Amino acid sequence: MQAIAKGGFFISAIMKEFIMSEKRTEIGELGEFGLIDRLHQKVKINQESTLKGIGDDAAVIAAGDHVKVVTTDLLLEGVHFDLSYAPLPHVGFKAVAVNISDVAAMNAIPKQITVSIAITNRFSVEAVEALYSGINAACEHFGVDLIGGDTTSSRSGLVISITAIGEAQKEQLSYRSGAKENDIICVTGDLGGAFIGLQVLEREKQVFLANPNMQPELDKYQIVTARQLRPDARMDIIHELREMGVVPTSMLDVSDGLASELFHICKSSKVGVTIYEDKLPIDKQTYDTAVELNMDPTTCVLNGGEDYELLFTITQEDFKKLEKHPDIHFIGYVNKEEDGKNLVTKSGPAVALKAQGWKHF
Ligand code: ADP
Ligand code: MG
């Protein structure tokens, strides 16, 4: 490659052409999803075995009489976790759980993971072992095997990239695109806790930085801080759905916030939704802490991320099978695309649902 000198550095002629000719678009203008959409447009699928590429919680690959699902997530110190309050074993557990959650979101069973890490010399062997104690605990918890990865050095903190591989029968898969008019919208567990937990941990960190003699007061906030630091993936629900013979018509996991995930279902399935504020599940500690922090609990439920609960839609017939389940909540229904995305508020009127999600850029 022909190289030219610029500002004391050598850059390739190809790079120069790119810098000179391309219009510059800020990533913030497109946002994370806009950027992925734009990259997706230029991706060509060459293999018949690629049943689903970009655009769902995991990719789907034909594998004989069944299918494999593959998903990957990247966690960066200072962006996704803060080691001043996140213990390394928890970081390891969470890094696995968030990937297992994407396998669950396809209605598949996780089988293997690979783990790649980049570390600075700030970390000792014992610190890396502490991280792996959490990774190994998660492998045990979810019944998956750690089968490989990569290790390299980093100049800016700890980086963890995990890939999870799962299996399912093709007809058992739940894509984001299968929701139909009149389906019932379900969500597991409770929402908003991880977001509130993060607010509490950040607040206590600031108190500690201002006065290192102050001990953080976290006893009162154990549920919400645990939701942030050591989330579980709802494989229990996936196994129960199988036992009850229910295949959700669409499903994803709540990583970016309920409203944002509902928007994904609407876009992929070409439908609209109506959800009811009074049906949204919130834990008492999440509610009380939101009020204490002067935050609107409903906003936390709709837009707080990282709960790793499952959001799915089922047919009216399947409703009877799940009706009595103590940890599945029925929050609304699917309507025609032209009827929009609606939130029926506690005070009565329906308002347009807004998706704030997590803004990475
Ligand atoms: P999730 O929140 O479920 O992990 P994401 O929003 O991260 O999903 O990703 C949505 C889709 O975009 C997935 O199919 C994912 O594999 C794909 N994707 C994300 N980033 C990239 C990238 N840099 N290149 C190609 N595909 C990507
Ligand atoms: Mg997901």
Side-chain angles (χ1 to χ4, degrees):
M1 229 186 279
Q2 189 197 352
I4 55 158
K6 190 186 181 228
F9 294 97
F10 284 95
I11 58 170
S12 72
I14 290 175
M15 228 13 226
K16 178 178 174 240
E17 201 176 300
F18 177 77
I19 292 166
M20 305 277 177
S21 67
E22 291 287 308
K23 136 174 190 288
R24 182 183 164 89
T25 310
E26 298 304 327
I27 292 174
E29 279 176 47
L30 293 180
E32 180 189 352
F33 300 136
L35 176 64
I36 295 171
D37 278 351
R38 189 155 145 167
L39 298 174
H40 189 184
Q41 282 163 20
K42 299 220 170 107
V43 172
K44 196 172 145 258
I45 298 295
N46 299 304
Q47 299 293 334
E48 253 179 52
S49 55
T50 306
L51 302 181
K52 175 79 193 175
I54 295 171
D56 218 298
D57 291 283
V60 180
I61 302 168
D65 62 348
H66 67 283
V67 296
K68 299 260 186 204
V69 302
V70 182
T71 177
T72 194
D73 261 309
L74 186 60
L75 275 82
L76 267 77
E77 182 181 351
V79 177
H80 300 99
F81 58 89
D82 184 333
L83 290 178
S84 61
Y85 52 73
L88 278 164
H90 285 15
V91 173
F93 191 97
K94 180 171 176 174
V96 178
V98 301
N99 279 279
I100 300 300
S101 183
D102 276 325
V103 172
M106 301 303 292
N107 203 24
I109 307 294
K111 299 285 178 182
Q112 289 90 12
I113 60 164
T114 64
V115 178
S116 300
I117 53 169
I119 34 177
T120 67
N121 54 14
R122 181 163 58 89
F123 290 86
S124 63
V125 171
E126 288 74 19
V128 179
E129 281 178 339
L131 176 75
Y132 269 72
S133 71
I135 292 174
N136 291 332
C139 288
E140 185 74 30
H141 180 63
F142 297 113
V144 299
D145 295 336
L146 169 55
I147 55 162
D150 196 15
T151 305
T152 184
S153 61
S154 154
R155 292 196 186 157
S156 55
L158 175 63
V159 180
I160 309 165
S161 171
I162 296 191
T163 297
I165 301 162
E167 278 179 18
Q169 294 302 317
K170 197 174 169 187
E171 57 283 0
Q172 243 154 3
L173 288 173
S174 293
Y175 291 97
R176 294 177 177 184
S177 55
K180 298 268 181 313
E181 193 187 348
N182 296 327
D183 281 356
I184 292 165
I185 304 172
C186 314
V187 72
T188 61
D190 55 81
L191 299 172
F195 173 76
I196 288 295
L198 180 64
Q199 307 311 309
V200 169
L201 289 163
E202 286 288 338
R203 181 183 70 177
E204 295 304 316
K205 180 184 173 184
Q206 295 312 323
V207 171
F208 178 78
L209 288 176
N211 181 359
N213 296 323
M214 290 281 283
Q215 279 306 307
E217 284 178 34
L218 292 174
D219 287 356
K220 208 177 123 186
Y221 306 106
Q222 273 179 12
I223 294 172
V224 290
T225 52
R227 293 295 308 243
Q228 169 58 222
L229 295 174
R230 201 179 184 280
D232 201 354
R234 300 307 305 261
M235 280 312 301
D236 57 330
I237 297 285
I238 298 304
H239 290 295
E240 286 181 48
L241 289 175
R242 273 175 197 228
E243 280 160 25
M244 289 183 281
V246 175
V247 176
T249 53
S250 71
M251 179 152 62
L252 32 64
D253 66 326
V254 184
S255 54
D256 289 333
L258 177 67
S260 171
E261 313 301 357
L262 283 167
F263 271 58
H264 284 314
I265 289 189
C266 290
K267 190 174 175 206
S268 299
S269 300
K270 300 187 174 55
V271 294
V273 288
T274 297
I275 59 163
Y276 294 85
E277 187 182 8
D278 64 355
K279 306 255 184 249
L280 299 177
I282 183 164
D283 174 77
K284 185 170 184 316
Q285 192 175 94
T286 304
Y287 187 95
D288 292 347
T289 315
V291 171
E292 183 191 323
L293 297 171
N294 283 324
M295 289 177 170
D296 173 34
T298 300
T299 306
C300 297
V301 168
L302 288 173
N303 297 310
E306 297 198 285
D307 289 310
Y308 299 103
E309 295 292 346
L310 293 169
L311 169 67
F312 56 95
T313 54
I314 54 167
T315 60
Q316 299 266 344
E317 296 80 72
D318 280 343
F319 174 66
K320 286 171 206 72
K321 299 185 198 160
L322 300 186
E323 198 178 8
K324 299 219 161 62
H325 195 291
D327 212 23
I328 297 178
H329 310 280
F330 308 98
I331 61 167
Y333 62 90
V334 177
N335 48 249
K336 287 198 179 75
E337 190 170 28
E338 54 269 33
D339 293 334
K341 307 174 189 79
N342 316 291
L343 170 69
V344 181
T345 59
K346 282 182 190 160
S347 52
V351 297
L353 186 65
K354 292 198 182 68
Q356 215 171 304
W358 283 111
K359 293 221 166 27
H360 295 297
F361 300 103

